[in-house]
Amino acid sequence: QVQLVESGGGLVQAGGSLRLSCAASGSIFSFNAMGWYRQAPGKQRELVAVMTRGGNTNYANPVKGRFTISRDNAKNTVYLQMNSLKPEDTAVYYCNCNNNLLGALRYDYWGQGTQVTVSS
């Protein structure tokens, strides 16, 4: 079973930065896509950033220009660099790996989540 472990969350003031890490139990090239989702209280889980195996990236509009997804293949780790943080970024952030397909062919693996709290 694939294991994903997030780290790097915490409390930061508005305008500050955090870097989240997601360590996979196996090669990240086992997946077609790796990314980050977040869920704030009272809201549905939403996509934050995703990177395909080929290196293409996509970002949710609220984080464009502020967040950057990257990876370290040797460490089997995906990162999310978060700059210029805002209180509305406060959420539990989840690491995700999947095959980038839809419907019955889709699979997803999830981490347990790491809390990010941005104070005003």
Side-chain angles (χ1 to χ4, degrees), residues 48-63:
V48 176
V50 63
M51 172 179 285
T52 68
R53 186 173 59 189
N56 294 325
T57 59
N58 287 289
Y59 297 90
N61 285 332
V63 308

Side-chain angles (χ1 to χ4, degrees), residues 87-103:
E88 50 262 46
D89 295 319
T90 296
V92 178
Y93 284 71
Y94 297 91
C95 182
N96 170 269
C97 295
N98 62 79
N99 62 353
N100 205 28
L101 299 175
L102 298 176

Side-chain angles (χ1 to χ4, degrees), residues 25-116:
S25 60
S27 173
I28 59 177
F29 288 112
S30 298
F31 310 100
N32 289 332
M34 303 77 70
W36 293 90
Y37 289 71
R38 68 186 182 186
Q39 187 167 23
K43 297 182 179 180
Q44 294 187 344
R45 188 174 299 185
E46 65 177 359
L47 175 69
V48 176
V50 63
M51 172 179 285
T52 68
R53 186 173 59 189
N56 294 325
T57 59
N58 287 289
Y59 297 90
N61 285 332
V63 308
K64 287 182 178 178
R66 299 188 297 119
F67 291 10
T68 303
I69 187 170
S70 62
R71 66 191 182 201
D72 186 329
N73 297 332
K75 297 181 179 179
N76 292 317
T77 300
V78 180
Y79 302 97
L80 184 68
Q81 179 67 46
M82 305 184 295
N83 298 325
S84 301
L85 283 163
K86 304 175 180 180
E88 50 262 46
D89 295 319
T90 296
V92 178
Y93 284 71
Y94 297 91
C95 182
N96 170 269
C97 295
N98 62 79
N99 62 353
N100 205 28
L101 299 175
L102 298 176
L105 298 178
R106 172 82 173 203
Y107 68 75
D108 286 271
Y109 299 94
W110 296 92
Q112 293 297 315
T114 184
Q115 177 71 48
V116 172

